[in-house]
């Protein structure tokens, strides 16, 4: 298959960690979905928690490395359960893994054709091996992309900037764990899990698209959850598959429903049920 469309998964009876490790992360590793692509786009009509910021300020994309780093599972316990216990969690960063991610980000930034500005998010002041590799690769690959301007931010500072001046960003590239953290900030400033979608991409293989949030068990069967995140994931998938016309049409339909119909993007506050929101999107398509 060229793509997988994955619904939100999770169940309260399943011990936390199992679904994540055996389904989500396993798909990422075994299909080598080495890019996690997370658009952060505030649609007109959506309330953001950021004071004085609007759709023209919040429109960037995070390219997160999705196949190694702290997620590679390296490390172990020593003397577990004893007072002398040691827990080691290793971050694996291969030249190949870093470079293919950084290259993808430059390429994406060029194709996106907006500010043509790429920001590297790392922690060179402390992670003197890992971030050093990222920084060197980022600068080397830049030679192939003279049309892109670049800058570097430490991850902690970048978290502040995402909230204070999100308008400075066009594309951000970062490692797996930092990417996980900053994309949650991204999700909340674009209106929350009701709308946030992402792609897990292997540009040479099968890719997977999913809503950012989990299955929200407390809302099970109530028809209150916003389906737009899943629909937005489908929209990203259409774009990825080259179905440009369909993708553009679906994006317009989502934006129209958000702007003209929904009272909020949050579960239970939309003013419509899950199924009704789906019907509204279908209606807008027609
Ligand atoms: C995400 C999620 C996952 C991650 C979890 C569910 C394993 O938070 O896709 O951002 O940590 O990558
Ligand atoms: Mg996450």
């Amino acid at each position: 298959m060229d793509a997988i469309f994955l619904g939100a998964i999770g169940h309260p009876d399943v011990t936390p960690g199992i679904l994540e490790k055996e389904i989500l992360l396993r798909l990422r590793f075994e299909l080598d979905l080495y890019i996690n692509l997370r658009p952060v786009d505030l649609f007109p009509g959506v309330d953001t928690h950021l004071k004085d910021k609007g759709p023209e300020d919040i429109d960037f994309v995070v390219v997160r490395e999705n196949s190694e780093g702290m997620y590679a599972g390296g490390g172990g316990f020593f003397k577990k359960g004893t007072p002398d216990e040691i827990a080691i969690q290793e971050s694996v960063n291969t030249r190949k893994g870093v470079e293919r991610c950084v290259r993808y980000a430059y390429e994406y930034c060029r194709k996106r054709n907006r500010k043509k500005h790429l920001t590297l998010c790392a922690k060179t002041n402390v992670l003197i091996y890992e971030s050093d590799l990222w920084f060197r690769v980022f600068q080397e690959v830049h030679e192939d992309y003279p049309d892109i301007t670049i800058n570097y931010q430490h991850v902690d500072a970048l978290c502040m900037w995402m909230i204070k001046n999100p308008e400075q960003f066009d594309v951000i590239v970062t490692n797996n764990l930092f990417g996980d953290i900053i994309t949650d900030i991204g999700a909340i400033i674009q209106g929350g899990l009701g709308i946030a979608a992402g792609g897990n991409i292997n540009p040479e293989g099968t890719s997977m698209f999913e809503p950012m949030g989990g299955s929200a068990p407390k809302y099970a069967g109530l028809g209150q959850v916003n389906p737009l995140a899943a629909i937005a994931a489908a929209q990203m998938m259409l774009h990825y598959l080259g179905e440009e016309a369909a993708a553009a049409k679906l994006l317009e339909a989502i934006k129209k429903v958000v702007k003209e119909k929904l009272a909020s993007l949050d579960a239970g506050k939309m003013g419509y049920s899950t199924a009704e929101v789906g019907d509204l999107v279908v209606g807008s398509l027609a």
Side-chain angles (χ1 to χ4, degrees):
M1 299 296 164
D2 294 319
I4 299 170
F5 183 44
L6 187 91
I9 56 169
H11 193 280
D13 292 350
V14 182
T15 313
I18 292 186
L19 281 173
E20 289 85 340
K21 197 160 173 293
E22 295 300 329
I23 300 179
L24 292 175
L25 297 181
R26 201 165 151 197
L27 276 163
R28 290 179 189 175
F29 289 125
E30 294 196 10
L31 295 175
D32 202 21
L33 308 175
Y34 63 84
I35 299 295
N36 194 312
L37 194 63
R38 283 280 302 111
V40 180
D41 196 356
L42 180 67
F43 292 156
V46 177
D47 253 349
T48 175
H49 293 277
L50 300 190
K51 192 161 149 260
D52 303 331
K53 299 293 176 192
E56 62 291 349
D57 303 308
I58 301 174
D59 182 3
F60 60 93
V61 177
V62 178
V63 174
R64 163 186 173 189
E65 202 292 320
N66 210 30
S67 66
E68 44 184 50
M70 288 294 264
Y71 281 66
F77 289 117
F78 184 54
K79 299 188 178 178
K80 190 175 179 186
T82 75
D84 296 328
E85 175 163 2
I86 299 174
I88 296 175
Q89 191 83 46
E90 292 165 343
S91 178
V92 175
N93 296 263
T94 65
R95 171 81 202 199
K96 177 184 160 193
V98 174
E99 185 171 336
R100 67 184 181 176
C101 175
V102 166
R103 249 179 216 289
Y104 184 93
Y106 274 108
E107 205 59 50
Y108 190 90
C109 191
R110 181 180 272 172
K111 284 211 195 86
R112 180 170 146 89
N113 200 18
R114 302 290 265 275
K115 295 195 186 87
K116 289 215 177 170
H117 185 60
L118 181 63
T119 302
L120 171 66
C121 163
K123 185 78 185 168
T124 54
N125 53 348
V126 177
L127 305 183
I128 54 173
Y129 309 119
E130 160 176 333
S131 288
D132 187 80
L133 174 62
W134 276 84
F135 194 79
R136 278 183 287 121
V137 170
F138 183 63
Q139 284 184 315
E140 280 167 34
V141 177
H142 186 213
E143 288 171 17
D144 294 340
Y145 297 87
D147 51 321
I148 310 283
T149 60
I150 57 170
N151 75 328
Y152 168 78
Q153 289 179 4
H154 294 319
V155 59
D156 47 351
L158 182 131
C159 288
M160 293 200 293
W161 289 120
M162 276 177 85
I163 288 164
K164 187 167 185 289
N165 295 115
E167 64 277 6
Q168 72 179 280
F169 298 114
D170 179 15
V171 179
I172 300 171
V173 63
T174 192
N175 72 19
N176 209 338
L177 183 61
F178 293 160
D180 179 46
I181 297 165
I182 69 170
T183 54
D184 265 27
I185 300 181
I188 200 66
I189 66 175
Q190 76 177 123
L193 295 179
I195 192 78
N200 295 263
I201 294 174
N202 176 341
E204 295 89 37
T206 300
S207 295
M208 179 178 93
F209 297 83
E210 55 172 344
M212 278 266 290
S215 62
K218 71 172 175 181
Y219 294 108
L222 301 179
Q224 291 181 355
V225 164
N226 192 341
L228 286 180
I231 298 173
Q235 193 279 331
M236 283 184 78
M237 183 170 69
L238 286 171
H239 175 71
Y240 176 80
L241 293 173
E243 299 289 343
E244 288 306 336
K249 214 172 156 193
L250 186 51
L251 183 61
E252 280 323 301
I254 294 170
K255 285 185 169 176
K256 196 160 183 252
V257 170
V258 162
K259 191 170 176 210
E260 295 174 10
K261 306 283 182 185
L262 300 197
S264 160
L265 296 183
D266 295 345
K269 298 180 189 157
M270 300 185 291
Y272 295 91
S273 71
T274 305
E276 283 168 345
V277 175
D279 291 343
L280 286 170
V281 175
V282 174
S284 297
L285 277 173

